Structures are given as C-alpha cells and as structure tokens.
Amino acid sequence: MKGNRRDFIKKTAIAGAGLALAASPFGRTFAALASDKKVRLAVIGTGSRGRYLMELLLAQKVNPNYELVAVCDNYGPSLNEAVALAKRYKINPKTYTDYSQLINQSPVDGVIIATPLHQHAHITIDCLNKGIHVLCEKAMARTLDDTKAMYDAHINSGSILLIGHQRLHSNQYINALERIHNGEIGVIGQMKAYWHRNHNWRRDVPDNQPDLERKINWRLYKEYSAGLLTELMSHQLQVANWAMKKYPVSVMATGSIQYYKDGREVPDNMAAIFSYDDGTQFIYDSMTINKAEGCEEHIIGDYATMKLESNNILREDPIKPEPAPGIAQLINDIQNGLFKSAPIGGSSWAAETAVSYNGEEIYKGQDGDGTREEIVHFIDYIQQKSSPEWMTKEGYYTSIWSLLTEKSIESGERITCPDKYLIG
Amino acid sequence: MEFGITQIRRIMKDITIKSKNIRREMIIWLLLLGISFGLNIYSIIKYQSQWSELYSSLGFVIAISCTLYIAIAIIRLFYWVILKIVRRS
C-alpha cells in the first residue's frame, strides 16, 4: 500500500507539473501574440501599489502588445511619481485626476484599478458599463452590496472583471493546487494560514497636511477598509477556497485593537475559523506586533501538508532515499549498537512534537508572487475577449467572506452567507 | 663516552623480512578478506539489498579487511611486547 501511494505521489507530481503548465494562461499568451492590435491600458490609482503594478507592466516583455495610454490619481504627488516612472520607460501617458474624465476622454480597452478599497466599486462599475475590462486590486469592495453590484455589472456588461489575487497566476501556486486537486496530499482535513507582521502599517503623512491622514492611511479606517481582513486575509482565504474548490458556509471571528491604540478603527489582531460544508476548517490569524512566523498557508491532508508560501511539501510517509549498500548498513548498525546510549528510564507518554523532517520543494522556477503573470494574463484575456469565470467568482466570494468575517467580529456571532449574495 | 661507527653498527642491525613472514601476513589478510566478503553476503541477505553489491561493494570489503588487519596487527604487537617483558623478567 505504501509503495502504491509513493508511485501515486510520483505520478501525480509529474502529471500535476505538466497540467499546471498546460493549464496556465501564461502559456496561452504566446498564441495571443498573433493579434497585432495593441491593448490600450490605463492605471487608476497610482499610489505605491498602483505604481508597482505599472512598473511590472512596463518592465514585462512576455506580451508587448499593449500601450499605457493614461494614468489617474486624485493625489498629486502619486500622479507625479507615476508620470516620472512612465518617463523612465520613455512613454508619456495622459494624466487625469478624475477617473470619469479618463474613461470618457481616453479610448482604453482595459484599466488597472489600485485605488483605496472603498473606491473600487463605483469606478469598476462605471468602467464595466462602458465596455472597459477591469483588473481591480483585491478585495473587491468595502461593502457586501457593492461587491454584488460589481459582479452584476460584470455579468450584465460582459466585460472582463479580474480581481487582483495574484496567487491565482503564480506557476508555483498553480502547480501546487493542481497537485492538491489530483489527490497528492490526500483528503484535506484542515487548513491553517497566518500573516504576522511587526509594523504599525502607517504611512508617513506630511507634517503640514495632517488632514491627509485618512486619505494616506485609509487601511486603518473602517470607512475605507476592513484592515487586516480585506488587505491581508483575503489573499489567503482565496487560496483556501481554491484548494477546497468550494466556499465556506460559516465564519466565527474575533479581533481587537490590542496594541496600536493610535486612533485607528480596524483591528490590529484577529483570528477566524471558517467552516466548509464537509466539515473542513480554515483557521486564520493575523497580527501586527510580531513577525516571527511571517506569512504562510498550510493545506493539511492525510497524505501530506503543503506549505504554500514557503513552497514546501511535508509528506506523512516521506519518500525514502535509495538505501545504502547492505555492508554499509551493517557497519552503521554495528556502530549504533556499540555507541548508542542505554535508556534506564523515561516517560511512558510524550506529546507529538513537530516532525524534524524538512520536506521537499513543491515547484522550481517561479520568480515573484504572480503579480507580473497576473498583469500579462489580463492583457491576454483582453485580446481573447474572455477570462476564466471561476477566477472572478474566487475574487467575489473571497471578498464576500472577508466582509462577513468583519460582521462576525462586530457581532461576536457565527455568520453565514445571506442568500442574496450567493451566485451560481 | 665515545660514540663511533662501531657503536652505531652494533645498534643498527640489518632487518630482513623473510618470505615466510610475508606469506604469513598475506594469509592473514586473505583470511580477513574472506571474512569481509562473507560479511558482505550476510548483509545483502539481511538487508535484502542487491546481489550486484557483491562486486559494487568490493571497495567496502577491502577497506573492512584492511581495518581488521590493522586492528589485529595492533593486538599482535601488544601481545609481542607483553611476551618480551614476561620473558625478560
């Protein structure tokens, strides 16, 4: 049985790697290159994340069939930095401080939206209704109703709506998830994830403009963001849903402002337990005062555990290396027999401590977290005029459940998803 | 005390290794090589490893036989020294 399992694991690992590459839309980009028409793109929201996305877009050579025609931000310094960045790549996009002017005046095929969370919904809906494809940073929206309205606009307009869950585009994650779905780690019993930081999450506000506090540190205020839930947890909740190929049925959560009592309104620590209909749990926590454990997702099955951030698989029954020659084993046994210490007493029971085995690498060759591939895929999807619908659903339900987690923290109750937010 | 050529000659005797000694040492080593080879067969059976190790592990076998030879040589040397001391007394 063990031998069969090992054979199965080897076969699924090989098959999974092949499938991941074949299924990756990154591979299909080359086919899309046949189209000569350049995709006209704009970036709305050129803060640090927006400029990061912009730089990845301008630096990538995988799909050069695009042009950055416009950038937009209502905060002058961010817009100026975006223009300076564009100039470094010898391009001169039009600049706007109002996104509605951009979509009315500049002919664009797609926009990348990287504004604060509370602005996602109306910008996205306006773009989709104008037939402009959207890559919107996660999470989708600040409220449940806005999230649903974004999804409805996507369905009604037929325009592409891709949510910025970059792990969906990382070959490392695609490979790992294919292997999970092929049964390599067995039956998933539990998933655990955490994101621990040692940082107050504050950005510097100019001394002479204290009124910019809420605009710059929008992640800390409930009006604009659900903090750790929408900005960090949503990434890892999406991975858990992806592993399960389904969405939770309930969440119980708690959170508090325990350390940074600096006027912020969102929790600086939180913990949540999501339940799935088969009894599987996803246990999550996030904190901002200690980074020892960092960021990780554990997908735990009865054959193995995959630690996705660290690209590591720990098998319950590790594949044994080729045995040493018999004579070497004999010498080893004799040595062990001669020099081993003789136990004279000990505990009759010991707790299961963590295994010391370091596991194996899941995937080689992924550079970055998938954001570069996400941008290339977006261009690819616009050229193909379609995107995988399940990816949009992943973004939708992740956003819904992130916001339901907030409701659980506020109410102290176990929360289920209201029927009106369920989509087919 | 004068330390001339005569004294040196008296101390430094010609050492001659007789063919009988060489043969004896060779037989001891060959016996140990045989024992090591037997150990290899035993370990192949015990650990259910490949029979090809009969030749692929020859290096191990020779190394074990040499180790055993050195170990036995040390024991013989001790025995010889003790015997000398006992005979003198």
Side-chain angles (χ1 to χ4, degrees):
Chain A
M1 185 62 196
K2 299 266 177 189
N4 290 340
R5 181 190 289 186
R6 271 199 289 276
D7 288 347
F8 173 73
I9 288 165
K10 279 182 188 170
K11 282 173 189 165
T12 49
I14 293 163
L19 278 170
L21 287 174
S24 165
F26 208 61
R28 293 205 308 273
T29 298
F30 296 103
L33 287 176
S35 167
D36 286 338
K37 189 171 175 259
K38 289 206 168 190
V39 172
R40 295 162 300 182
L41 294 174
V43 177
I44 300 174
T46 56
S48 59
R49 182 67 184 175
R51 291 198 303 278
Y52 176 67
L53 297 173
M54 209 175 126
E55 180 138 36
L56 288 176
L57 170 71
L58 296 172
Q60 64 87 17
K61 303 266 190 282
V62 180
N63 189 342
N65 276 0
Y66 75 93
E67 53 186 327
L68 181 66
V69 296
V71 290
C72 173
D73 202 295
N74 61 9
Y75 182 52
S78 291
L79 190 60
N80 293 339
E81 286 192 47
V83 171
L85 173 63
K87 278 185 180 160
R88 286 209 294 277
Y89 287 89
K90 298 183 174 39
I91 59 166
N92 194 22
K94 286 187 179 171
T95 58
Y96 295 90
T97 54
D98 181 347
Y99 80 92
S100 56
Q101 285 182 347
L102 186 155
I103 60 176
N104 285 318
Q105 294 172 8
S106 273
V108 291
D109 302 306
V111 293
I112 297 171
I113 298 172
T115 60
L117 177 62
H118 71 296
Q119 296 173 337
H120 285 180
H122 62 273
I123 299 175
T124 299
I125 291 167
D126 287 350
C127 289
L128 292 173
N129 288 339
K130 271 203 154 293
I132 298 168
H133 305 296
V134 173
L135 164 57
C136 179
E137 262 302 318
K138 64 86 209 100
M140 272 175 82
R142 180 63 189 95
T143 67
L144 292 162
D145 287 336
D146 277 355
T147 307
K148 182 69 166 54
M150 282 172 76
Y151 183 77
D152 289 343
H154 153 67
I155 294 297
N156 295 334
S157 66
S159 300
I160 292 165
L161 174 58
L162 193 64
I163 305 302
H165 290 292
Q166 64 268 27
R167 286 161 182 79
L168 283 168
H169 306 269
S170 155
N171 287 325
Q172 178 185 316
Y173 274 78
I174 291 169
N175 174 270
L177 271 291
E178 286 278 352
R179 287 164 62 177
I180 288 169
H181 295 155
N182 285 335
E184 186 168 337
I185 67 165
V187 176
I188 297 173
Q190 206 170 62
M191 299 175 289
K192 286 197 298 187
Y194 41 82
W195 198 323
H196 294 182
R197 284 178 165 176
N198 188 347
H199 188 258
N200 64 10
W201 217 3
R202 284 198 162 278
R203 306 272 166 101
D204 291 338
V205 177
D207 289 339
N208 57 348
Q209 290 176 291
D211 52 314
L212 290 177
E213 159 65 14
R214 291 174 78 86
K215 186 177 181 69
I216 291 172
N217 286 311
W218 57 271
R219 292 173 184 82
L220 306 180
Y221 296 98
K222 283 194 168 185
E223 184 181 351
Y224 317 118
S225 170
L228 299 172
L229 309 178
T230 46
E231 311 309 323
L232 301 185
M233 184 191 77
S234 59
H235 279 300
Q236 294 161 294
L237 176 58
Q238 180 272 311
V239 172
N241 294 340
W242 189 11
M244 290 299 291
K245 284 186 164 175
K246 58 171 83 170
Y247 304 104
V249 292
S250 71
V251 59
M252 290 172 71
T254 181
S256 66
I257 303 169
Q258 182 262 344
Y259 189 84
Y260 293 111
K261 300 180 194 297
D262 56 0
R264 71 183 60 200
E265 296 167 359
V266 297
D268 61 14
N269 68 12
M270 56 80 50
I273 302 174
F274 297 85
S275 299
Y276 292 78
D277 62 1
D278 63 352
T280 306
Q281 298 113 23
F282 172 53
I283 304 164
Y284 186 83
D285 71 276
S286 185
M287 66 161 74
T288 47
I289 63 158
N290 187 302
K291 59 180 168 46
E293 292 194 307
C295 172
E296 188 59 88
E297 299 105 34
H298 300 244
I299 313 294
I300 305 165
D302 60 343
Y303 288 1
T305 299
M306 275 199 185
K307 292 164 76 172
L308 297 175
E309 290 288 339
S310 50
N311 192 23
N312 191 246
I313 179 168
L314 294 136
R315 301 182 195 282
E316 291 291 283
D317 177 18
I319 295 171
K320 287 178 183 153
E322 285 291 310
I327 188 81
Q329 291 183 59
L330 182 69
I331 292 166
N332 196 38
D333 281 358
I334 291 169
Q335 279 180 335
N336 286 341
L338 285 176
F339 301 118
K340 78 174 175 189
S341 55
I344 53 170
S347 59
S348 58
W349 178 88
E352 288 92 340
T353 50
V355 290
S356 55
Y357 148 68
N358 290 325
E360 299 142 41
E361 192 174 40
I362 297 173
Y363 183 81
K364 273 190 173 66
Q366 174 66 36
D367 184 20
D369 66 357
T371 310
R372 184 178 66 98
E373 288 87 342
E374 173 188 85
I375 290 168
V376 174
H377 292 168
F378 181 53
I379 304 170
D380 186 14
Y381 297 151
I382 293 173
Q383 288 177 316
Q384 295 169 13
K385 296 185 170 56
S386 73
S387 66
E389 189 56 28
W390 68 271
M391 283 192 183
T392 309
K393 280 188 185 169
E394 288 271 317
Y396 174 78
Y397 273 120
T398 299
S399 190
I400 291 288
W401 279 100
S402 296
L403 296 171
L404 291 173
T405 307
E406 184 183 33
K407 290 206 177 301
S408 179
I409 291 173
E410 287 169 352
S411 67
E413 292 175 357
R414 179 182 178 129
I415 299 288
T416 56
C417 184
D419 287 348
K420 65 176 177 175
Y421 300 120
L422 297 175
I423 55 173
Chain B
M1 180 184 161
E2 195 182 341
F3 198 74
I5 192 79
T6 317
Q7 281 80 12
I8 292 170
R9 275 193 184 147
R10 198 175 295 154
I11 293 163
M12 290 189 65
K13 294 177 190 167
D14 287 341
I15 297 169
T16 310
I17 300 173
K18 294 175 184 165
S19 63
K20 193 178 87 177
N21 292 346
I22 293 172
R23 200 180 306 126
R24 187 184 65 211
E25 297 306 314
M26 281 298 289
I27 288 166
I28 290 170
W29 182 72
L30 282 171
L31 274 172
L32 293 172
L33 186 66
I35 290 166
S36 304
F37 200 79
L39 275 176
N40 193 17
I41 293 169
Y42 167 75
S43 61
I44 288 169
I45 294 164
K46 184 182 176 189
Y47 298 101
Q48 296 178 343
S49 51
Q50 305 290 318
W51 282 105
S52 60
E53 286 175 18
L54 276 180
Y55 55 86
S56 66
S57 291
L58 267 180
F60 273 112
V61 170
I62 291 167
I64 290 168
S65 66
C66 291
T67 308
L68 288 174
Y69 177 81
I70 291 166
I72 287 170
I74 291 167
I75 293 166
R76 286 161 66 205
L77 183 68
F78 271 112
Y79 175 74
W80 180 79
V81 169
I82 291 164
L83 209 65
K84 280 269 179 194
I85 293 166
V86 169
R87 277 185 186 161
R88 259 190 210 170
S89 62

